[in-house]
Amino acid sequence: MSMLATTARSRRASAPVERPALTVVRTPALSRSIVPFLVMLVAILATAMGLTLFLNTQMAVTSYEIRDTRAQLVELTETAQTLKAEVETLGSPDYLRQAAGRIGMVPASTTFIMNLEHGTITALEDVQQ
């Protein structure tokens, strides 16, 4: 075994292996700038402020629309109540009697009842109001 060891040593000594020379290479220094961060920060801040302004404006517009709609609702409710009271007044028996008298109508002296099943007309007399 000693002979094997000496042969291996002699081979190493007689045939030198060429290796490239190794040198330490430094990594390039990254240029770190604060400008992209500031640009991004300003963009986020501007977007947030713009959205806040937009939402506040929309809320104000909606508030005015609600106020106008409520005012219109009150006006329409008052008009409906006025018209309802006018219909009740114009449909009352006293007003209808007076309106009929103004155009020359007179109360009927006889009242008739129609029976559609039998096809007859019956007169009721002396009905005065």
Side-chain angles (χ1 to χ4, degrees):
M1 291 253 242
S2 69
M3 182 134 146
L4 286 175
T6 49
T7 4
R9 277 188 219 154
S10 66
R11 275 192 219 155
R12 273 191 239 150
S14 65
V17 177
E18 292 189 28
R19 293 185 181 164
L22 296 178
T23 59
V24 176
V25 178
R26 293 182 154 245
T27 58
L30 297 176
S31 61
R32 294 186 180 174
S33 175
I34 197 166
V35 174
F37 175 72
L38 289 178
V39 168
M40 182 183 69
L41 188 64
V42 168
I44 290 172
L45 184 62
T47 303
M49 295 289 283
L51 287 176
T52 303
L53 178 64
F54 176 75
L55 289 176
N56 283 337
T57 305
Q58 288 301 318
M59 286 173 49
V61 168
T62 304
S63 174
Y64 282 117
E65 288 175 358
I66 289 172
R67 182 189 57 125
D68 293 343
T69 304
R70 283 184 181 167
Q72 186 180 10
L73 177 64
V74 167
E75 182 180 329
L76 290 174
T77 302
E78 290 173 356
T79 303
Q81 289 174 350
T82 303
L83 291 174
K84 187 176 180 179
E86 187 178 344
V87 166
E88 288 176 3
T89 301
L90 295 176
S92 68
D94 292 334
Y95 181 81
L96 292 175
R97 187 176 301 120
Q98 291 172 2
R102 283 193 299 266
I103 61 172
M105 296 177 81
V106 292
S109 60
T110 306
T111 304
F112 296 97
I113 298 175
M114 293 178 59
N115 188 342
L116 297 177
E117 290 181 17
H118 298 101
T120 60
I121 299 175
T122 309
L124 298 175
E125 299 199 20
D126 297 327
V127 176
Q128 289 288 331
Q129 294 186 11

